[in-house]
Amino acid sequence: MGASVRSSRSGNLPAESNTFVGRDSELARIGTLFDSTRLLTLTGPGGVGKSRLALRAAHTAQAAFPGGVWLVELSDLQNADLLTNAVAEATRLTEQTLRPLLVAVCEHLDDGPLLLVLDTCEHVLAECGRVVQELLAHVPELRILATSRQPLGVPGEHLLPVTPLPLGEHADAVALFTARATAAVPSFALTDTNRAAVAAVCARLDGIPLALELAAVRLRGFPLDRLLQGLDSRFDLLVSPARPRLARHQTLRTAIGWSHELCTPLERLLWARLSVFAGGWDVEAAEFVCHGGPLDAEEILTLLASLTEKSIVTRENDSVAGRYRMLDTIRTFGADWLEGLGEQDAVRARHLDYFRWIARQGEAEWLGPGQRMWAERLSVEHANLRVALEESLAAPEPEPALELTGTLWYFWFACGFADEGRGYLERALRRAPEGAPGHTLATWAHRLVTVVPDDVEAAESVSAAYVWLAQERRLPVSALPLTGASLAVRGESARSALLYGSNVQGPGAGGGAEFFQLLTLAVQAYLLAGQGAFERCAVVAERLRVDCAKRGELWMRAWGDFFVALAGIGLGRPEAALRSAREALAAKWRVHDRFGAAAVADLLIAAEAAAGEPERAARLLGVGTRLWYTAGLPQLGDIETTVFRREYARHLRAALGDTGFAEAVREGRGLGPEAAIRLALNGLADEVDL
């Protein structure tokens, strides 16, 4: 598949939060090396600026990578086994697959020149090396830029050491300090009078960027001369006569330690307790997890503001309820302090309790109007959920892990994390006897995310079984698009379990039990469509839509829309089918169900063809390729793979001619996912919030 498939994608790089200063020679060297090496690792100690340099280099290189530039942040990843999942998530690959996930990732990325940035690899070094070797071996046009305190040790790896900034009155270290000082204290300016003092501060801090940035913020409370005096006295306490110059890692730690000493006791305590979070936190989470003893929950917002002013904490947006986070090096300092206080176990337990509560709240409200909010919230909290899951699995009793992994069934199943969910559920179930509390829910959740028949041969047999009404259509249809439908309801195993009885018991209560009932209706609609009983299919699907609408639910309601549209095509009502199918697609996209969106897009091909729009149907054949890639099943987007796609291609080619057909497919296939969705919705995108 050519590079045009992803030509409109730019990746997931975050905006640069402040002005990049210096490193001209390193940036030029990185640009040159991208032409000659496929794996470039920036090495150096913490705080030296590897991540910031990698981000700047990635932004600079975007034009050279039409397949996209994708950042995978690994600092919050505690379980190395989830590294491939982190790559899949960052590159927007839905994990609805029973194949080895790394195989799916390789297929997903094999789509034109692409740059993958793996940031902070040192704590998962062995797994990084293994995954990188596989990616490079199977994705020929892939380049990887990694940051690590150690080399990955992969054949062909090129190392670029990142050193502290050059020192001197007119060097990069002074420029960086000045830029950050001006941002912290707008009245500050570099002059001939203070230039020597600024250079002395930079020299005292060995030109280490993080240390310089922390020191620059101190100008809010100290004039420059007192800042230099404070650094001198602080460092002199730690310098032995036999060692006149501190090692660079000690310099950084000393600079962080000095910032720590300038905090109030309550600020220090909050800093330590916040270190248990991964991927950031909001005010509510901080108040729940970090309160206790001398630290009242009501004080935490004020203390967060103070830590933000000191650049210990950064706020990700300007709203009071926004998210906060700490740089990895600063968080590690806080974690060491927390351990020294003897509070590590207690604060981690509160962190687990909070995210167990979040998971329960999400389940209780999943089948309701808050569904989209919960899909987005849990995606944002994914790193924290992983921390809580690992903590639950380390508990002496199996019940916390069973409860948390089982309660998150909706996140695993509907939000595209089936592969990760299977792993956690299997670990939890291995630790628990069959009668343990929570065992039934965890077993059901495991069944839900396991029966995903995604191999092409199985999909082919499902499609071929539902040949219908071919002779009666102006653009004949040789197979209903039930490949996506069968995948969506989890195939034969799910059908048997739900309709004909099973040894696997469903969830006993709560959101899981309601979902179980709705899923049963979806399977019934699926079976009726497969039998050609379209009137009865429409009745069952409408009941599903009504039951979901009562709850304000989107995810399963979209499958009701899907089967209403499917029945409409079978009954010769293409215009009504188009409306229902587009509503289904909009809903699937809004709740991040990329898998479901791809299946609905296939249905739209049939609806557009039945409505006498062969050119739009052909473009949607190309769109389907894009969306199946996003869902992790690229072979289902291949025109030659399934009966459904082959037959539509044949009839649409006959209607449009070879050239017109090829151009329409190419146009659809060349769109990025968001643009593809807007094309498929054909105006409905203006009526819904995507």
Side-chain angles (χ1 to χ4, degrees):
M1 194 164 294
S4 63
V5 178
R6 280 213 177 114
S7 59
S8 61
R9 297 175 65 184
S10 60
N12 68 338
L13 291 182
E16 296 179 276
S17 58
N18 49 31
T19 304
F20 188 82
V21 177
R23 304 287 193 193
D24 292 341
S25 61
E26 290 94 333
L27 286 169
R29 180 67 176 148
I30 291 170
T32 300
L33 287 170
F34 279 154
D35 294 331
S36 59
T37 185
R38 298 185 60 208
L39 171 60
L40 173 60
T41 303
L42 308 183
T43 60
V48 80
K50 302 183 298 296
S51 297
R52 188 68 178 86
L53 175 59
L55 182 61
R56 176 88 288 264
H59 274 286
T60 303
Q62 279 184 300
F65 295 99
V69 179
W70 302 91
L71 174 65
V72 187
E73 296 182 285
L74 300 176
S75 62
D76 295 320
L77 191 68
Q78 296 186 358
N79 182 351
D81 293 340
L82 294 177
L83 191 143
T84 304
N85 300 75
V87 175
E89 183 180 359
T91 57
R92 300 172 189 165
L93 169 65
T94 303
E95 300 170 16
Q96 306 291 81
T97 175
L98 285 179
R99 297 174 299 160
L101 183 59
L102 189 52
V103 173
V105 169
C106 288
E107 291 183 359
H108 179 59
L109 300 181
D110 189 14
D111 201 7
L114 180 146
L115 176 64
L116 197 64
V117 183
L118 301 178
D119 188 30
T120 315
C121 299
E122 58 270 4
H123 62 300
V124 286
L125 202 63
E127 184 66 5
C128 264
R130 184 186 75 83
V131 169
V132 164
Q133 278 193 273
E134 288 293 315
L135 290 173
L136 292 175
H138 294 96
V139 188
E141 294 188 274
L142 174 67
R143 298 287 187 274
I144 295 177
L145 176 62
T147 73
S148 178
R149 298 185 189 185
Q150 299 173 250
L152 303 189
V154 173
E157 178 182 24
H158 191 106
L159 302 179
L160 181 63
V162 180
T163 58
L165 292 171
L167 299 172
E169 291 189 6
H170 297 278
D172 286 348
V174 168
L176 177 63
F177 181 90
T178 301
R180 301 301 182 255
T182 303
V185 183
S187 61
F188 178 83
L190 183 67
T191 66
D192 291 340
T193 303
N194 65 14
R195 185 182 295 273
V198 170
V201 168
C202 295
R204 205 70 176 100
L205 295 171
D206 281 344
I208 298 174
L210 178 55
L212 295 174
E213 296 193 0
L214 290 172
V217 176
R218 298 277 72 80
L219 289 176
R220 288 175 177 156
F222 295 89
L224 182 61
D225 58 342
R226 285 191 59 198
L227 173 65
L228 181 56
Q229 291 170 11
L231 284 172
D232 283 339
S233 62
R234 172 69 182 161
F235 278 57
D236 287 345
L237 290 173
L238 297 175
V239 178
S240 68
R243 198 172 171 213
R245 185 176 179 82
L246 291 172
R248 281 170 179 158
H249 74 274
Q250 186 63 61
T251 300
L252 177 59
R253 191 160 185 83
T254 302
I256 296 174
W258 191 54
S259 292
H260 189 261
E261 288 183 359
L262 294 173
C263 292
T264 67
L266 287 182
E267 288 169 354
R268 295 178 204 167
L269 182 59
L270 180 58
W271 179 350
R273 291 177 177 177
L274 289 170
S275 68
V276 301
F277 288 104
W281 63 88
D282 59 23
V283 174
E284 178 188 78
E287 289 174 345
F288 185 97
V289 174
C290 298
H291 82 281
L295 188 55
D296 293 333
E298 293 77 11
E299 299 177 275
I300 285 177
L301 180 57
T302 300
L303 292 170
L304 273 174
S306 181
L307 289 175
T308 302
E309 289 180 359
K310 293 178 169 68
S311 291
I312 303 303
V313 162
T314 57
R315 192 165 67 183
E316 295 183 346
N317 58 48
D318 294 330
S319 68
V320 174
R323 287 185 69 78
Y324 299 79
R325 64 188 306 141
M326 284 189 286
L327 290 174
D328 192 48
T329 307
I330 293 174
R331 188 178 67 186
T332 299
F333 187 98
D336 292 344
W337 192 263
L338 186 67
E339 186 175 6
L341 293 172
E343 289 195 357
Q344 192 174 45
D345 291 343
V347 179
R348 283 181 174 176
R350 287 203 297 274
H351 182 278
L352 171 58
D353 287 343
Y354 179 76
F355 285 99
R356 286 170 67 186
W357 176 76
I358 287 291
R360 289 195 295 267
Q361 287 292 106
E363 186 199 26
E365 298 178 21
W366 178 252
L367 297 178
Q371 188 175 83
R372 183 182 183 186
M373 180 275 291
W374 280 109
E376 293 173 350
R377 182 171 185 181
L378 266 66
S379 294
V380 168
E381 297 290 7
H382 198 170
N384 277 312
L385 287 173
R386 285 171 171 163
V387 170
L389 286 157
E390 294 295 338
E391 187 69 16
S392 73
L393 287 161
E397 300 299 325
E399 285 79 7
L402 287 173
E403 180 207 0
L404 184 55
T405 57
T407 301
L408 284 169
W409 61 265
Y410 59 100
F411 183 60
W412 311 133
F413 181 78
C415 297
F417 299 105
D419 181 83
E420 183 174 331
R422 277 194 297 275
Y424 278 122
L425 286 159
E426 286 165 4
R427 289 171 65 190
L429 288 166
R430 280 198 297 267
R431 300 179 67 235
E434 189 167 327
H439 191 278
T440 296
L441 178 60
T443 301
W444 174 78
H446 182 260
R447 182 66 174 270
L448 194 65
V449 298
T450 297
V451 283
V452 187
D454 64 1
D455 69 89
V456 176
E457 186 175 336
E460 174 85 355
S461 66
V462 173
S463 291
Y466 299 102
V467 178
W468 64 287
L469 300 177
Q471 295 77 20
E472 298 183 16
R473 297 290 178 253
R474 181 166 35 147
L475 286 173
V477 181
S478 63
L480 275 171
L482 281 170
T483 298
S486 66
L487 290 166
V489 297
R490 299 308 190 253
E492 296 299 316
S493 298
R495 183 181 72 175
S496 300
L498 291 169
L499 298 184
Y500 306 124
S502 171
N503 294 329
V504 179
Q505 186 179 353
E514 291 185 75
F515 178 80
F516 193 78
Q517 296 165 7
L518 296 175
L519 184 58
T520 300
L521 289 174
V523 174
Q524 289 173 346
Y526 161 76
L527 292 173
L528 290 167
Q531 296 163 8
F534 297 116
E535 291 282 5
R536 293 169 60 200
C537 172
V539 170
V540 173
E542 186 58 37
R543 180 183 165 193
L544 175 59
R545 292 207 301 185
V546 169
D547 285 355
C548 292
K550 289 177 182 176
R551 298 171 170 86
E553 194 272 349
L554 284 175
W555 192 89
M556 188 58 80
R557 158 71 187 264
W559 288 121
D561 290 325
F562 178 97
F563 288 113
V564 166
L566 191 63
I569 297 171
L571 293 169
R573 303 166 188 164
E575 293 300 330
L578 279 171
R579 178 74 188 189
S580 293
R582 287 170 183 156
E583 288 176 352
L585 180 61
K588 287 298 183 187
W589 194 254
R590 281 153 60 194
V591 296
H592 308 291
D593 182 5
R594 304 306 188 240
F595 185 83
V600 178
D602 271 2
L603 179 64
L604 273 168
I605 298 168
E608 292 284 8
E613 295 288 345
E615 186 174 346
R616 285 189 56 79
R619 284 202 295 269
L620 289 174
L621 270 172
V623 164
T625 300
R626 157 62 48 233
L627 296 181
W628 281 117
Y629 258 93
T630 302
L633 300 172
Q635 69 273 36
L636 291 183
D638 191 327
I639 288 176
E640 295 302 317
T641 296
T642 65
V643 168
F644 167 71
R645 285 181 160 268
R646 281 200 305 271
E647 289 302 309
Y648 266 101
R650 182 166 64 85
H651 291 296
L652 293 173
R653 186 178 283 108
L656 298 172
D658 289 345
T659 302
F661 172 77
E663 180 58 34
V665 171
R666 188 181 304 112
E667 179 186 335
R669 197 174 69 179
L671 297 172
E674 290 80 7
I677 290 295
R678 292 191 175 277
L679 173 67
L681 292 179
N682 191 31
L684 183 63
D686 298 330
E687 301 177 29
V688 298
D689 177 17
L690 293 180

